[in-house]
């Protein structure tokens, strides 16, 4: 337990300036919404932008954290803790930080809904606690999915760099595009639809549905990316 506390404390101290910077950006976005329009409905719409942007929160947080670690890559790779613990601590910390940031982002929109004379008749059928909860869970899930994609690409980059040097970015771009193409082809295939589109659990706006099969697929894929990243970095450590 003390090992986890130490890792989480270290990662928190590493991320704190950037997290506070994110809070400042949220405040600036809300002030910008106030400056842009005097209409409550307009301000409400603009104030939702920081909330929607949180789908990128975990990948940006993870990349910044890994970038900071990369400044002392040799020391980090030779840390006495297991590589899986070093990476998992960042994800475990990132999720509550993201939820806190989402709460802060929601303060101003909620204020507009509750305190001002804002007509929400068009929203009242969709805006409820269940829908908000579904949206928050979906946002965190998609953000975590993107973060794990970023993690595997970051790991591949550091594996390629000793072989390709400054051309590593070019090779990584080719690998990344190949990943995206193959993933798109798989997602559009009848086999994917058969394997994943079962057990509807969440209906998002515009009649978009999230299925239990899709969550299980993404969970298995994300777990594979995580442990593949661990394996790549541990092989780098051996080199």
């Amino acid at each position: 337990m003390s090992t986890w506390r130490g890792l989480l404390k270290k990662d928190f101290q590493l991320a704190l300036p950037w997290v506070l910077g994110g809070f400042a950006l949220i405040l600036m976005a809300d002030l910008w919404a106030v400056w842009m329009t005097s209409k409550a409905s307009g301000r409400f719409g603009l104030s939702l932008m920081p909330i929607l942007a949180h789908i990128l929160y975990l990948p940006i947080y993870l990349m910044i954290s890994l970038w900071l670690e990369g400044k002392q890559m040799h020391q980090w790779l030779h840390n006495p803790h297991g590589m899986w613990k070093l990476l998992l601590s960042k994800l475990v910390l990132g999720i509550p930080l993201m939820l806190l940031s989402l709460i802060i982002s929601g303060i101003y929109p909620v204020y507009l809904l509750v305190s001002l004379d804002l007509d929400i008749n068009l929203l009242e059928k969709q805006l409820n606690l269940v829908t908000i909860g579904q949206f928050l869970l979906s946002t965190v899930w998609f953000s975590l999915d993107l973060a794990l994609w970023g993690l595997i690409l970051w790991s591949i980059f550091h594996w390629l760099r000793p072989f390709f040097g400054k051309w590593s970015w070019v090779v990584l771009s080719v690998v990344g595009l190949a990943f995206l193409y193959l993933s798109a082809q798989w997602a559009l295939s009848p086999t994917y639809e058969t394997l994943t589109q079962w057990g509807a659990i969440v209906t998002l706006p515009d009649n978009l549905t999230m299925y239990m099969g899709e969550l299980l697929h993404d969970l298995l894929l994300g777990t594979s990316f995580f442990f593949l990243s661990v394996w790549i970095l541990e092989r780098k450590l051996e080199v």
Side-chain angles (χ1 to χ4, degrees):
M1 184 62 71
S2 60
T3 298
W4 281 109
R5 282 199 299 265
L7 287 174
L8 291 172
K9 181 180 179 181
K10 185 263 297 182
D11 285 330
F12 179 75
Q13 292 174 341
L14 198 66
L16 182 58
W18 300 90
V19 172
L20 295 177
F23 295 161
L25 286 176
I26 294 170
L27 176 61
M28 292 172 60
D30 290 339
L31 292 176
W32 177 73
V34 173
W35 178 75
M36 284 293 294
T37 178
S38 59
K39 294 182 178 179
S41 57
R43 290 179 178 179
F44 176 75
L46 292 175
S47 68
L48 294 179
M49 294 174 61
I51 297 177
L52 298 176
H54 274 74
I55 193 172
L56 299 176
Y57 188 95
L58 284 179
I60 292 175
Y61 152 79
L62 184 60
M63 289 302 103
I64 289 175
S65 183
L66 292 173
W67 171 69
L68 293 173
E69 297 282 13
K71 292 182 177 181
Q72 298 178 324
M73 177 60 70
H74 181 77
Q75 179 180 349
W76 189 61
L77 289 176
H78 287 82
N79 193 293
H81 305 298
M83 183 58 63
W84 70 272
K85 289 183 180 179
L86 296 175
L87 296 176
L88 186 60
S89 68
K90 297 181 181 301
L91 296 175
V92 170
L93 178 65
I95 292 174
L97 289 177
M98 178 181 177
L99 291 174
L100 176 60
S101 184
L102 276 168
I103 291 172
I104 293 175
S105 298
I107 291 175
Y108 186 57
V110 171
Y111 164 77
L112 290 173
L113 287 175
V114 174
S115 301
L116 300 182
D117 185 18
L118 181 60
D119 183 8
I120 59 171
N121 290 331
L122 295 178
L123 300 175
E124 61 184 4
K125 294 182 180 180
Q126 297 181 351
L127 192 62
N128 53 64
L129 292 178
V130 174
T131 302
I132 292 173
Q134 291 174 346
F135 171 78
L136 291 177
L137 290 175
S138 300
T139 301
V140 173
W141 185 266
F142 289 136
S143 186
L144 179 60
D145 194 32
L146 290 176
L148 291 170
W149 272 90
L151 176 60
I152 185 63
L153 290 175
W154 181 85
S155 302
I156 292 173
F157 169 76
H158 283 281
W159 176 61
L160 292 172
R161 193 161 61 173
F163 303 100
F164 296 97
K166 64 180 181 179
W167 295 101
S168 300
W169 284 108
V170 177
V171 178
L172 182 66
S173 298
V174 173
V175 172
L177 290 174
F179 265 162
L180 289 176
Y181 174 78
L182 293 175
S183 297
Q185 293 300 309
W186 167 244
L188 294 174
S189 68
T191 304
Y192 173 85
E193 182 177 350
T194 301
L195 292 175
T196 62
Q197 293 193 6
W198 54 268
I201 55 174
V202 174
T203 301
L204 301 173
D206 298 326
N207 293 322
L208 297 176
T209 302
M210 181 178 293
Y211 296 92
M212 179 63 71
E214 289 179 333
L215 293 181
L216 181 60
H217 170 272
D218 290 345
L219 179 62
L220 293 173
L221 185 63
T223 302
S224 300
F225 281 173
F226 177 83
F227 284 105
L228 181 58
S229 299
V230 170
W231 182 83
I232 290 172
L233 293 174
E234 286 180 341
R235 297 290 79 74
K236 178 179 175 62
L237 182 146
E238 291 178 357
V239 175

